[in-house]
Amino acid sequence: GYFYQRVAECRFSSKDLQGIEFIDSYVFNQAEHVRFNSTVGKFVGYTEHGVKNAEAFNKGPELARELGELERYCKQHAPIYY
């Protein structure tokens, strides 16, 4: 069988809202192949297939959706975390 997993997380490095990082990882068969990092501001591929997906995601509506997740999800939940 195949194993697919998507992990989205907020990393809080300080109490300042500028120190929040949103990471969205796409894992296939226990190997991460694509990751969005709000600090980098784009998708990055780690495998041959992941590089192709990252290029497509960075040109499509996926990038705009991911850029909004830092504001929508992470900053909204920061008070709960702290």
Side-chain angles (χ1 to χ4, degrees):
Y2 296 101
F3 175 79
Y4 175 78
Q5 180 180 13
R6 183 174 172 196
V7 179
E9 63 180 315
C10 300
R11 293 186 180 169
F12 302 91
S13 60
S14 69
K15 289 192 176 193
D16 181 13
L17 291 180
Q18 300 303 317
I20 300 174
E21 180 180 36
F22 175 71
I23 298 175
D24 194 3
S25 301
Y26 296 78
V27 179
F28 183 73
N29 283 348
Q30 298 181 355
E32 183 177 27
H33 65 98
V34 176
R35 174 188 287 183
F36 173 81
N37 185 320
S38 65
T39 304
V40 177
K42 66 179 184 175
F43 287 91
V44 177
Y46 295 104
T47 64
E48 182 178 344
H49 182 68
V51 169
K52 291 179 183 177
N53 283 335
E55 289 173 0
F57 291 165
N58 286 328
K59 293 177 184 174
E62 295 86 1
L63 182 60
R65 185 171 40 249
E66 292 286 351
L67 288 170
E69 289 299 298
L70 179 68
E71 294 291 328
R72 186 193 71 79
Y73 183 74
C74 293
K75 290 187 178 180
Q76 177 182 351
H77 291 94
I80 296 169
Y81 176 78
Y82 292 126

